[in-house]
Every structure is written in structure tokens, then in C-alpha cells.
């Protein structure tokens, strides 16, 4: 509080205080002064935090209870009116703070619920949760060894292990944990440009020729977003269709005076869960001297499975890879890694030699001051969740977890592929846990007018999804794709899901859509 002049007066039975000329009632001190670092604040702090933990533990147990709702849905205007979410000048009491905690969780989505399938990141791991609590308690920054010694070492150890799993010799290379796969992909594009034209760091895009990047048509939107952010431009990202020849298109662009500098192959596309042919793409990149990046944000974790890692054959030939453990490995959000084959490139590309952080005469090995190779200055500790879960499960534990999710997706596919009222969006068994399908209600199955049928079918998935949320029974995503009308995209990454939950989903879709 600095050095305020404090005095007390009695007014209508309430104690008030003067702080720098302002009047504050005793509630202010119940919040600010009763807890640590207040003198004798130990017991009150323990009591407060114990109550918070009790709220959290009750929520966790409820989240895994199938009889509870996945979501207590309210429309935004309703939710704004149900609670006072506004910020005020006057502080609240600790009891008010606890009420806010309960209200927040009451209306939150139970992403740990076994019947929550809405996103690629689902589930809640108890060891990962404990690690997240510890990380917040430590409350430090990842930019230097001096302020995060253990976390920096754990990041070093874990990234090396991940590079070994990719197949890079002795785990050599570099890497960093970033705020999500989109940023990891942008890092890769940044490095590819710097590798080919290092002068761009100081002189900008005017110093380099017209660059083009290549990716598949079903790649993540972050590839174009990265090109926009780096000044390369979205028009310079060429999206190649599945039936087109990469080598012909790249050769054509070279002959027209463009300089290909970056190819992003996708290991597990967001919607279909498809894997690009990495070996063939790596041959093309080698022929033309182009940086090969693998966006394995969704499918990269299949490298942990001896049964499924063949889908990423050729990844060891890539220059970089994005891998999001917060998806298929169920590490609490967020946890995304960029792995780079060339050691030292990130440092030379991004370093700015800030002397107030990265002094060159420190008394330890400066290679552990990793902050200068990052675009960020402040960087959250994302490593401890993954490292502690890896210690708890071992590689074989992650493998079993991933294999189970893929087994569940195959079960769903086999159950609905020939079931009346269902049509698969694409032929063949899915490569990942993405199962894409249309549900045709009884009243739509025999409509002969194809245009009318598609028009009505387009409205089915959104309507069923809205009913799912209003009943709170389950959640699964939907979307259109190209010329295809809205379809369900079922993804399974939740370790709590079972065969019974898949059965429930099918029955619930049919129950909610039977009258459409």
C-alpha cells in the first residue's frame, strides 16, 4: 500500500479508512489486507484457498459424472443479466469472490465431461491439472535460466525427447513452446524466410523477391494468417488440391519468377483428420531447396503410438514440426511445441540482445537463457504440465491413451457407415479420430429433389447442435466444407470417453433430429 496515512472514523456503525485522500470501507481490507502477504495472514489465506479448492474439486467430480449436463446454456444477453459481471471501483469481500468463482464454473463448459466432443482439445488430466496449479504458484517467466531454472531445464529435456521421437539424430535441433499451433506455424514460416533470405530481418520484405508458400487446401487457416502477419500476404499462399501434383505447381511458380520458400504439409487436418504424403512432399522440397514444415498440431501425437506413427512416415525429413500435446495427449491448455531441426537458427533469426535480460557476463551457461530466440518477451510456463504427465504415464501410457481414442473413432465409423439415416462425408476409414457424417432425419431420407434435399440437410446439423446445447447432454461440432453442406465432425481426444458414450451420441442425435 505504499505509505498511506490511515485513520479511522465511525459512521453509521461502519469502519472507514482514509487512503491517499479516499474513503474506503472495511471490505477493502478484508480482501487486500487479510490475505498474504499481510502480517498474520497465513490462516486466513489457507482458509480462503481451501474454499477455492473445495469449489474446484466439486466441479471436477461433477465434470466426470455422466448424469450432469455438459453445459448449462444461456444466450449471451441472458447470461449477462443473471449475474453482475461488471467491474467496480469498490472492492468485494472474500465471500463475494467465492460466489464469483462458483458462478463462473456453473456456466462454464465441462470440457472434461466424457460426452464433450466439440473441440480437438478435450478432457482433464489430474496430474496435468496439479502441474498447472504448481505452475501458477511458481508464477515465473521462461525467458532466462536465472528466473526459471527448473522449468528451462525441463523444456530442454522434453524438446530433445520430442525431437528423438520425430527421428532427428540424437534429438539434435532446437524448439520452443509457444501460445498455440498457429504461433508455432508462424514461427516455422519466419524461420524459413530467414534461412533463405537472412537480410530480411533488418531490411524487410523490400529486400527479397516475390515469395510463395505452398500448403494443402485443407490445411489450417493459420498458414495464411502467418503469411499476412509476416507481410508475405495471403495471396502468396498457394493451396494445392488433393488431386493436384505439387511438383508441377511449384515448378510452374518458379518459371513465373516466384521464389518458393516454404511448404507446410499437414499431419492431421482439422476437419477430415487427413495426412499429407510427407515422403513425396519431402522429395519435392529437397529437389527445389524449399523449407519443409509439418503442421502436426492435431496428428503429431500419433508419433507416440507404434500402431499409428506410420501415418507420419517422412516427418524425420522435415525442417520443422508443430506438435500440440494439448490435443491428442490431453495436456491442459495450452501446450504447443515448435520443433526445429537446425540448432541455433531460432536464436539468430529472433535475437535482439536486450542487455537488461541477456547479459553476456552471467556466471552460468548462457545457452539456457532461451528468451532471445522467442518472439515474445514474457513467456508462460507451459512445459511442466507435459513433463509431469509424461513422468506419470510414461511413453506407453500416452500410447495407450491415443490408441484408445482411435479405437473409439473406428467403432463410431463402423457403427454408422451402413446405419439407416447416416451418410459418410468421404469414402474409407478415417485416418485420425475425425468421423465426418450427415444425419438424415426420417422426413428427409426420401426427398427426390436434390437441391431441396441439400437445402434442408444444411439446416439439420445446426438445429441438432442447438438442441444438444439447450438440453446440455453432449456437444459435437459441425461445419460445411467446400461445396458440402453442414455435416457433423466428430473428434475423439477425451480419455474419459467410452464405447457407451459413442452409443449415447448416436442415440441422442437421432432423438433430437427425428422430427426435422
Amino acid at each position: 500500500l505504499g505509505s498511506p496515512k490511515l485513520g479511522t472514523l465511525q459512521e453509521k456503525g461502519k469502519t472507514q479508512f482514509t487512503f491517499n485522500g479516499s474513503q474506503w470501507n472495511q471490505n477493502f481490507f478484508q480482501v487486500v489486507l487479510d490475505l498474504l502477504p499481510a502480517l498474520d495472514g497465513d490462516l486466513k489465506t489457507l482458509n480462503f484457498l481451501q474454499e477455492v479448492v473445495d469449489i474446484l474439486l466439486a466441479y471436477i467430480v461433477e465434470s466426470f459424472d455422466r448424469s450432469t449436463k455438459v453445459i448449462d446454456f444461456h444466450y449471451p444477453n441472458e447470461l449477462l443479466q443473471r449475474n453482475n459481471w461488471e467491474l467496480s471501483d469498490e472492492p468485494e469481500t472474500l465471500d463475494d469472490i467465492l460466489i464469483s468463482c462458483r458462478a463462473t464454473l456453473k456456466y462454464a463448459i465441462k470440457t472434461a465431461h466424457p460426452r464433450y466432443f466439440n473441440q480437438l482439445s478435450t478432457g482433464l488430466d489430474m496430474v496435468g491439472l496439479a502441474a498447472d496449479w504448481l505452475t501458477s504458484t511458481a508464477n515465473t517467466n521462461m525467458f532466462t535460466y536465472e528466473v526459471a531454472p527448473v522449468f528451462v531445464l525441463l523444456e530442454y529435456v522434453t524438446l530433445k525427447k520430442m525431437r528423438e521421437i520425430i527421428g532427428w539424430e540424437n534429438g539434435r535441433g532446437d524448439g520452443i513452446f509457444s501460445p498455440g499451433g498457429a504461433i508455432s506455424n508462424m514461427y516455422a514460416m519466419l524461420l524459413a524466410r530467414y534461412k533463405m533470405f537472412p537480410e530480411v530481418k533488418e531490411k524487410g520484405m523490400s529486400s527479397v523477391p516475390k515469395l510463395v508458400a505452398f500448403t494443402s487446401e485443407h490445411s489450417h487457416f493459420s498458414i495464411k494468417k502467418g503469411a499476412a502477419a509476416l507481410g508475405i500476404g495471403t495471396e502468396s499462399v498457394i493451396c494445392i488440391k488433393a488431386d493436384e501434383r505439387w511438383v508441377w505447381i511449384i515448378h510452374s511458380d518458379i518459371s513465373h519468377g516466384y521464389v518458393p520458400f516454404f511448404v507446410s504439409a499437414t499431419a492431421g487436418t482439422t476437419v477430415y483428420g487427413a495426412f499429407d504424403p510427407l515422403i513425396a512432399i519431402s522429395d519435392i522440397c529437397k529437389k527445389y531447396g524449399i523449407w519443409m514444415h509439418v503442421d502436426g498440431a492435431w496428428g503429431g501425437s500419433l508419433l507416440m503410438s507404434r500402431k499409428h506413427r506410420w501415418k507420419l512416415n517422412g516427418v524425420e525429413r522435415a525442417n520443422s514440426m508443430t506438435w500440440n500435446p494439448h490435443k491428442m495427449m490431453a495436456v491442459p491448455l495450452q501446450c504447443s511445441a515448435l520443433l526445429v531441426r537446425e540448432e541455433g537458427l531460432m536464436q539468430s533469426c529472433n535475437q535482439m540482445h536486450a542487455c537488461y535480460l541477456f547479459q553476456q557476463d552471467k556466471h552460468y551457461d548462457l545457452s539456457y537463457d532461451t528468451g532471445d530466440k522467442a518472439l515474445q518477451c514474457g513467456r508462460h510456463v507451459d512445459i511442466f504440465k507435459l513433463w509431469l504427465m509424461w513422468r506419470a504415464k510414461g511413453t506407453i501410457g500416452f500410447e495407450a491413451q491415443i490408441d484408445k481414442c482411435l479405437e473409439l473413432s473406428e467403432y463410431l465409423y463402423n457403427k454408422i457407415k451402413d446405419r439407416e439415416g447416416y451418410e459418410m462425408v468421404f469414402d474409407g476409414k478415417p485416418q485420425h479420430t475425425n468421423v465426418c457424417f450427415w444425419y438424415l432425419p426420417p422426413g428427409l431420407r426420401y426427398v427426390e429433389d436434390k437441391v431441396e434435399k441439400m437445402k434442408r440437410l444444411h439446416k439439420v446439423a445446426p438445429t441438432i447442435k442447438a438442441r444438444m446445447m439447450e438440453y446440455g447432454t453432449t456437444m459435437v461440432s459441425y461445419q460445411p466444407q467446400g461445396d458440402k453442406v453442414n455435416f457433423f465432425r466428430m473428434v475423439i481426444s477425451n480419455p474419459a470417453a467410452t464405447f457407451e458414450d459413442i452409443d449415447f451420441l448416436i442415440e441422442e442425435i437421432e432423438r433430437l433430429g427425428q422430427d426435422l
Side-chain angles (χ1 to χ4, degrees):
L1 293 175
S3 55
K5 295 179 180 178
L6 294 178
T8 65
L9 58 89
Q10 292 293 328
E11 181 180 303
K12 295 181 181 178
K14 179 185 288 186
T15 303
Q16 292 192 335
F17 302 83
T18 302
F19 171 63
N20 287 350
S22 298
Q23 297 291 320
W24 298 85
N25 66 40
Q26 60 188 359
N27 291 347
F28 171 76
F29 293 90
Q30 289 175 350
V31 175
V32 176
L33 289 188
D34 284 359
L35 303 179
L36 290 173
L39 225 58
D40 301 321
D42 307 39
L43 184 57
K44 290 181 180 178
T45 298
L46 289 174
N47 289 336
F48 170 70
L49 291 180
Q50 184 60 60
E51 290 199 61
V52 173
V53 169
D54 289 344
I55 293 170
L56 297 177
L57 292 178
Y59 179 78
I60 291 166
V61 172
E62 185 180 339
S63 294
F64 288 94
D65 183 352
R66 288 172 174 81
S67 68
T68 64
K69 289 184 175 183
V70 176
I71 175 178
D72 183 5
F73 178 77
H74 294 81
Y75 289 97
N77 60 326
E78 295 175 344
L79 193 53
L80 281 171
Q81 292 170 11
R82 289 181 78 90
N83 280 74
N84 179 16
W85 306 103
E86 298 298 324
L87 299 172
S88 63
D89 294 333
E90 288 287 331
E92 293 185 340
T93 67
L94 292 180
D95 285 339
D96 291 330
I97 297 301
L98 293 173
I99 289 170
S100 294
C101 290
R102 293 188 186 96
T104 300
L105 289 178
K106 173 177 170 57
Y107 300 112
I109 311 299
K110 295 186 180 72
T111 57
H113 198 288
R115 292 171 181 169
Y116 175 77
F117 304 107
N118 205 65
Q119 308 301 142
L120 304 184
S121 304
T122 61
L124 182 63
D125 186 273
M126 296 303 103
V127 174
L129 176 63
D132 217 1
W133 288 354
L134 187 148
T135 296
S136 292
T137 303
N139 191 33
T140 193
N141 197 314
M142 285 294 289
F143 44 40
T144 62
Y145 177 83
E146 67 181 277
V147 298
V150 177
F151 297 132
V152 166
L153 292 179
L154 296 185
E155 186 173 75
Y156 171 83
V157 167
T158 307
L159 289 171
K160 183 174 185 292
K161 180 70 172 179
M162 295 172 80
R163 292 192 297 267
E164 289 173 356
I165 290 171
I166 290 173
W168 294 336
E169 187 178 359
N170 298 320
R172 292 198 188 102
D174 208 341
I176 200 165
F177 282 86
S178 73
I183 302 299
S184 293
N185 287 338
M186 189 175 73
Y187 264 120
M189 186 176 284
L190 179 70
L191 293 172
R193 184 179 66 177
Y194 177 79
K195 176 70 174 177
M196 186 172 284
F197 298 103
E199 64 271 22
V200 74
K201 178 178 177 179
E202 295 181 355
K203 298 179 181 178
M205 286 297 292
S206 62
S207 66
V208 301
K210 175 66 175 176
L211 303 178
V212 288
F214 300 89
T215 190
S216 61
E217 64 173 335
H218 295 303
S219 63
H220 195 261
F221 68 85
S222 60
I223 304 302
K224 282 193 172 184
K225 185 168 281 194
L230 296 175
I232 295 164
T234 59
E235 291 184 356
S236 296
V237 178
I238 311 300
C239 295
I240 300 177
K241 295 181 179 179
D243 57 352
E244 291 181 324
R245 294 185 62 203
W246 289 63
V247 65
W248 183 88
I249 293 173
I250 291 174
H251 181 78
S252 175
D253 278 307
I254 291 173
S255 65
H256 284 87
Y258 299 109
V259 178
F261 78 107
F262 180 77
V263 168
S264 179
T266 308
T269 58
T270 306
V271 178
Y272 291 161
F275 289 74
D276 285 338
L278 302 185
I279 293 176
I281 292 172
S282 67
D283 288 340
I284 297 168
C285 290
K286 182 178 180 181
K287 177 179 179 179
Y288 292 104
I290 306 171
W291 182 285
M292 177 183 173
H293 173 65
V294 174
D295 177 6
W298 176 222
S301 296
L302 269 60
L303 287 172
M304 306 288 280
S305 167
R306 286 166 290 187
K307 183 177 180 180
H308 295 284
R309 68 167 290 136
W310 63 269
K311 297 169 186 177
L312 288 97
N313 283 350
V315 67
E316 71 282 355
R317 299 172 66 177
N319 298 95
S320 58
M321 178 184 176
T322 292
W323 180 348
N324 283 10
H326 69 230
K327 290 184 173 136
M328 279 300 289
M329 294 169 73
V331 176
L333 287 159
Q334 62 192 11
C335 188
S336 173
L338 173 75
L339 294 312
V340 183
R341 191 166 62 180
E342 182 176 338
E343 191 172 2
L345 186 63
M346 291 191 74
Q347 187 79 10
S348 57
C349 177
N350 296 322
Q351 65 182 353
M352 289 296 162
H353 307 286
C355 60
Y356 73 95
L357 282 176
F358 309 113
Q359 302 91 338
Q360 296 303 296
D361 51 1
K362 292 182 179 180
H363 62 291
Y364 58 81
D365 184 349
L366 297 181
S367 67
Y368 291 102
D369 279 0
T370 57
D372 216 9
K373 68 182 180 183
L375 289 176
Q376 304 162 256
C377 178
R379 189 161 66 91
H380 187 261
V381 177
D382 294 328
I383 180 56
F384 192 62
K385 298 170 290 190
L386 172 58
W387 179 85
L388 199 64
M389 285 176 63
W390 210 322
R391 296 274 283 195
K393 294 175 184 286
T395 305
I396 61 171
F398 276 126
E399 178 183 37
Q401 179 178 306
I402 290 164
D403 286 350
K404 176 194 170 188
C405 289
L406 282 144
E407 185 181 0
L408 288 175
S409 68
E410 186 173 355
Y411 174 78
L412 172 61
Y413 168 73
N414 288 331
K415 187 150 187 175
I416 66 173
K417 65 177 181 177
D418 299 317
R419 188 181 181 97
E420 185 180 9
Y422 292 84
E423 288 185 16
M424 307 311 297
V425 173
F426 55 85
D427 295 329
K429 189 172 75 172
Q431 293 180 289
H432 205 346
T433 70
N434 308 52
V435 182
C436 299
F437 61 91
W438 288 284
Y439 172 68
L440 285 76
L444 193 56
R445 291 171 195 172
Y446 306 106
V447 176
E448 294 183 1
D449 186 327
K450 189 174 181 181
V451 173
E452 176 64 19
K453 187 174 184 177
M454 290 299 104
K455 182 180 178 181
R456 290 170 58 182
L457 182 58
H458 188 63
K459 299 176 181 178
V460 170
T463 302
I464 293 177
K465 171 65 176 290
R467 292 177 178 181
M468 284 179 178
M469 294 179 69
E470 287 166 1
Y471 279 101
T473 51
T474 185
M475 285 180 68
V476 61
S477 183
Y478 74 87
Q479 70 284 305
Q481 182 77 32
D483 60 354
K484 295 179 173 62
V485 299
N486 281 323
F487 57 85
F488 286 110
R489 180 205 64 168
M490 174 69 171
V491 287
I492 304 171
S493 61
N494 192 338
T498 65
F499 294 109
E500 290 75 20
D501 296 314
I502 303 301
D503 292 338
F504 175 85
L505 174 75
I506 296 171
E507 293 166 4
E508 189 69 355
I509 287 174
E510 293 171 358
R511 181 182 76 86
L512 297 173
Q514 63 181 343
D515 64 330
L516 298 180

